[in-house]
Amino acid sequence: MPLFGELAIVFVAGLVTGLATGLGVIPFFFVREISGQWLVVLWGLAAGVLLSAASFGLLVEGAADGEFTHVAAGCLAGVGFVYVVDRLLEDYDLFTGPDASPDRRTMILVVGVLTLHSLPEGIAVGVAFADLDPTVAFVAGEFAVSTLAVSMLIAISIINVPEGLAIAIPLVSSGMGRWRVVGWAVFSGLPQPIGAVGAYLLTASLQQLLPVSFGFAAGALLYLVVAEFLPAGVTAGEGLPGGGRAELAVGTVVGFLGMLGLLTLL
């Protein structure tokens, strides 16, 4: 099969994983309004999902693919990068008019970080398709698709669903329409087909960079959890008995264990 055909297959595979992010918004089409205890639980759920994805997904995978120092350096760089972006959004009057609010800053930060986080997942898909796995799942024309590539495609697609839920929670709680939230969730996954194609073309060099990119994405997610999601949950629970701490803790643990279960199975 010509190279163009191979790249088309890899691009579609990355696109499928990216589009799966939009599925995480589906539960919100059945709920008109989120308030009180459920809002606190959802903030905790989002924090738990991202915390588990960062630690047991990105950091563990990065450490398995390369040296710990590379993963740690990438993680620190990710924290530093998002911190700088966060300060820029906070210190400068970037938004004017009725949409200017702390919620809008949080929305941009969340979408930006999760979009950034999707790139190494796309790279992982491209590397899997380029890997010379002797076990072939199926043949498309002259292009043999390995079982590793199929497994990676399915795993990242499934994992992207709760990540789509995590990106939807702050957007929905700010009052954004459901279909717009779907659009932003899908947008956050668009780097995946780009990363997949790039990794397929440059497998050797990107395999070496994969631990750093995994660490960078993990650091960005960890900053988001600590600086945005958990504080938002605390604020949402201020009017509840006990300050909503129990609801926030339950949501965080459920999200963490649920995502960990997916990562373990896949």
Side-chain angles (χ1 to χ4, degrees):
M1 176 179 289
L3 179 60
F4 178 79
E6 296 177 8
L7 293 181
I9 292 175
V10 175
F11 181 86
V12 170
L15 185 62
V16 168
T17 62
L19 292 176
T21 310
L23 297 177
V25 189
I26 290 177
F28 293 105
F29 282 93
F30 301 95
V31 180
R32 287 190 175 184
E33 186 177 355
I34 306 170
S35 59
Q37 293 177 318
W38 282 111
L39 181 58
V40 180
V41 171
L42 285 174
W43 277 114
L45 185 68
V49 166
L50 296 186
L51 184 61
S52 187
S55 54
F56 291 99
L58 296 169
L59 290 178
V60 170
E61 185 66 28
D65 291 341
E67 296 183 13
F68 170 77
T69 53
H70 296 163
V71 179
C75 186
L76 292 174
V79 171
F81 175 80
V82 182
Y83 172 76
V84 171
V85 173
D86 192 12
R87 289 299 301 271
L88 288 174
L89 293 176
E90 183 179 42
D91 293 342
Y92 293 96
D93 187 17
L94 298 179
F95 315 113
T96 58
D99 289 334
S101 67
D103 286 342
R104 186 167 173 80
R105 181 192 64 80
T106 299
M107 287 160 48
I108 291 178
L109 193 64
V110 168
V111 171
V113 167
L114 289 176
T115 301
L116 187 70
H117 150 261
S118 70
L119 183 58
E121 290 184 343
I123 293 175
V125 171
V127 169
F129 270 82
D131 189 71
L132 299 177
D133 188 338
T135 308
V136 176
F138 66 91
V139 177
E142 299 177 2
F143 185 44
V145 179
S146 68
T147 55
L148 173 63
V150 174
S151 300
M152 183 67 72
L153 172 64
I154 295 173
I156 292 183
S157 296
I158 294 175
I159 289 170
N160 276 350
V161 176
E163 291 178 358
L165 176 65
I167 196 174
I169 289 170
L171 301 185
V172 171
S173 64
S174 69
M176 182 179 290
R178 270 49 172 179
W179 284 110
R180 286 187 64 193
V181 175
V182 172
W184 281 115
V186 171
F187 174 83
S188 73
L190 290 183
Q192 293 189 17
I194 299 173
V197 170
Y200 185 77
L201 288 172
L202 303 171
T203 307
S205 59
L206 286 179
Q207 274 185 317
Q208 295 173 354
L209 292 175
L210 202 55
V212 179
S213 65
F214 274 140
F216 189 92
L221 290 186
L222 291 174
Y223 182 94
L224 197 63
V225 169
V226 175
E228 297 293 334
F229 281 62
L230 291 178
V234 171
T235 301
E238 287 178 348
L240 299 176
R245 289 188 293 273
E247 290 84 352
L248 184 61
V250 169
T252 302
V253 172
V254 170
F256 184 88
L257 293 178
M259 191 65 173
L260 178 58
L262 279 178
L263 292 170
T264 302
L265 289 173
L266 298 174

